[in-house]
Amino acid sequence: MELEQLMNIEVVTASRKSETLLKTAAATHVITQEDIRRMGATSLPEVLRGVPGLQIAQIDSNNWAISIRGLNDRFSNNLLVMIDGRSIYNPLFGGVYWNMHETLLEDIERIEVVRGPGGTLWGANAVNGVINIITKNAKDTQGAQFTLLGGSQEGIFSARYGGKVNDQISYRFFTRGKNVQQFNDTPLYQANDHWRDLASGFRVDGDMDAGSKWTLQGGYNTGHANQLTSSTSLIPPATLPVADGVNYQSGNIQFRWEKQFSEDNKWRAQSYYDFFGRHALAATNRIHTVDLEIQNQLKFAALQKHEFVWGVGYRAVVDELESSFTVAFDPRHRYTRTFSAFIQDDIRLTGKLKFTVGSKVENNSYTGFEFQPNARMLFEINERNSVWAAVSRAVRVPTRSENDFRINFLATPGKDQFSPPMLFGILGNRSLVTEKIYAAEVGYRSLLTHTLSFDTAGFYNYYDDLIGTRTSAGFESNPFPPHLLVANALSNNLTATAYGADMQAKWQPVDYWQLVSTYTVFKMDAHYKNGFAGAPADITHLEKSTPRHQFSVRSDLKLPYNLEFNGMFYYTGQIQARGLHVAEQGRLDLRLAWVPSPKLELSIVGQNILNKQHQEFAALDLFNTQIPRSVYGRIMYRF
């Protein structure tokens, strides 16, 4: 696509209605299918590398830490991620189990990334941003496609077939198998993170009559992921490293209906059921989610300058959690629900000036009523330039774990027969309130020339009631033997400020070559509230788990004889995650492809070429795995 086409691509995540990227009053980035193809990525997290404002850190072969504008962790619980409007935010721990949502990357139409609060439209947990993965209509994936990938670390096989029932109804279904070898960790031991996954899915799209359409889609994932963890006991040996395995499965089915009665009256209804299950040595979790939502885009003849979007929703979550001494939940079963309603008004003040105001109201089982307002202003300087500003309030509701869990992560025996053992634990808190963000943003978006575009946004965020820990000690007699408990109880005892900027420039000097460069600068300062000190690691992790500077550049070059050469370089500044230092690093990925026809593509990809192995993140419950250099070849054939 030419740069002018890219700036006028239509997006929906920032406002829940279709509008061009140039006229969007939010820091929005779009990853197209062509971007995904040229990256040579094999997973959703790798596709997101290079998006300004995002930190992507691989933990091991099947775990990632992904966040927008700070607060990064294995479970980044301030980021909402959706696939076709279905939330994959995990209600147990928060965040996303990325290895449980494998899909066919070739079926993705685009990925919209909104940096900044999205609570007014998408509800609690869309605090720092929203990632919306939008797949293709079934009518755009007709015929058969086979893909075979093999290399030093992973192998993938996928098959897809699309067809038509009649002129109004199209369908597709796919299956994808993935096998990732365990990473080498240190000369002393290996990472024990071998990962196998099998994903299948379908989508059916139909046109009922003029202006009306529907979609039925679903998917199923099952797999096994090895991991290194630890087992805790009051009986010596107290704490031991354990080579464990996680068996998981997830499934969903979703129905969506859209009806356009007129240009001024559009309706959309969606419902889905989602199942999540994981079994490991420490715990077994099963979660069922039902979600219903209705949305209306409306414009009144008497209020021509106003365009409203409003909607209502309901979500129910039922869980069944089996516990162990290491990880325990009380109660084992819980039913929670969320009622929501939102309204947003776009007011066209002049031909070039638009003002947007709205709010979402939610009532949830943990904290009751929550309000998430926002106000935005967009000024279209001309057809090639626009500036925007926004102020927002958003919240994150405490998760089931933060309310009801206990983790015993370390035990030490007594010094002698008269000294009791010591147990270290993390305890949930049912008195937690929501984490809050008050955000101010400003941005500028421009098609400077027909060969150069520029997009930048600056932000200032104030966080209140962030969840940290408070340490106390006391004796317990149950479980036996009696012991001293050093408890880190969760508490809303932290505040923080974060500020920075993210920017992107695209330069296409000739038709066959494009350069894309991004830069992000970020700073966070965290403090204890009212002098209530907690674990020092809480402050350190908040302030230093996201790098101060990130930079990326991607070159896409078309060569003679149907060859393509793509290079991606990513620089990430140093971080300190969970008290462990991770050095600054540069990563280089290269792809060479031969595409003799739309039916056939052969490619070879090298990832992390500059480093034999390197560490990207440190997680509390995982060992610090080194990410290795890898190379693979790929064949894709369509007919």
Side-chain angles (χ1 to χ4, degrees), residues 102 277 546:
E102 286 288 297
T546 299

Side-chain angles (χ1 to χ4, degrees), residues 413-421:
K415 295 181 180 180
D416 51 53
Q417 59 180 332
F418 302 105
S419 301

Side-chain angles (χ1 to χ4, degrees), residues 64 66 73-81 87-98 101 125 276 287 329 366 396-402 405:
W64 287 263
I66 299 177
D73 212 335
R74 183 190 179 194
F75 299 110
S76 298
N77 50 27
N78 284 271
L79 173 64
L80 176 65
V81 183
S87 172
I88 59 174
Y89 181 95
N90 184 269
L92 180 58
F93 289 100
V96 175
Y97 283 105
W98 290 96
H101 299 283
N125 311 322
F276 163 94
I287 303 174
F329 294 90
Y366 294 108
R396 184 187 75 83
V397 176
T399 64
R400 167 82 145 96
S401 297
E402 290 166 324
F405 79 166

Side-chain angles (χ1 to χ4, degrees), residues 42-48 83 98 101-103 105 108 111 133:
T42 60
S43 64
L44 281 173
E46 297 303 320
V47 168
L48 297 171
I83 299 178
W98 290 96
H101 299 283
E102 286 288 297
T103 188
L105 297 182
I108 296 175
I111 300 175
I133 301 158

Side-chain angles (χ1 to χ4, degrees), residues 99-115:
N99 61 352
M100 295 181 63
H101 299 283
E102 286 288 297
T103 188
L104 201 61
L105 297 182
E106 294 86 356
D107 285 352
I108 296 175
E109 178 183 304
R110 66 186 187 276
I111 300 175
E112 298 180 7
V113 181
V114 178
R115 310 182 301 279

